[in-house]
Amino acid sequence: MYGVIHKIIKDDALAEDALQECFIKIWRYSKKYDSSKAKLFTWLYRIARNTAIDKLRSNSKKFDTEIQINNSNDYYFNVRYIKKINKLGVARFNLNF
């Protein structure tokens, strides 16, 4: 299963996280497996593949932006702007003073 995930996710650490999530999904949904619909290998393969794709998509949406504030007069405007962006869930900002 790691091989299936690693073909989609090239980053080793991210692939290992996806594999762990995959095992959790298999454990949770094991009662839903129906041998008349698919072979066990196919069912496991689809869970691994879909988990890898989900992990890759969720990881690509995360990003950090850093803002340097040199002038204290700019602080008020930037904090309001950052709060507005954070409400939208667009980015996480680090303020360095």
Side-chain angles (χ1 to χ4, degrees):
M1 289 176 37
Y2 180 77
V4 172
I5 293 170
H6 197 264
K7 283 182 182 181
I8 297 169
I9 303 173
K10 304 300 181 193
D11 184 297
D12 291 335
L14 200 59
E16 289 172 4
D17 287 345
L19 180 63
Q20 184 175 358
E21 289 179 21
C22 182
F23 283 131
I24 291 169
K25 287 180 182 180
I26 290 168
W27 182 260
R28 279 192 191 145
Y29 302 120
S30 61
K31 293 180 182 178
K32 291 185 177 184
Y33 169 68
D34 185 0
S35 60
S36 65
K37 291 182 179 180
K39 293 182 181 180
L40 180 61
F41 177 80
T42 306
W43 185 72
L44 294 172
Y45 173 84
R46 296 301 300 174
I47 291 175
R49 183 178 181 278
N50 291 342
T51 302
I53 292 169
D54 291 345
K55 189 72 169 177
L56 193 62
R57 286 179 182 161
S58 70
N59 191 51
S60 67
K61 291 181 181 178
K62 296 177 184 175
F63 60 91
D64 290 337
T65 302
E66 187 173 318
I67 296 176
Q68 293 286 336
I69 299 175
N70 296 324
N71 187 346
S72 62
N73 292 336
D74 294 336
Y75 176 76
Y76 180 71
F77 171 76
N78 286 328
V79 169
R80 285 183 47 210
Y81 180 71
I82 290 167
K83 286 180 181 179
K84 184 177 181 181
I85 289 176
N86 282 338
K87 284 182 183 178
L88 298 173
V90 176
R92 187 180 80 220
F93 292 88
N94 297 321
L95 297 176
N96 296 323
F97 294 101

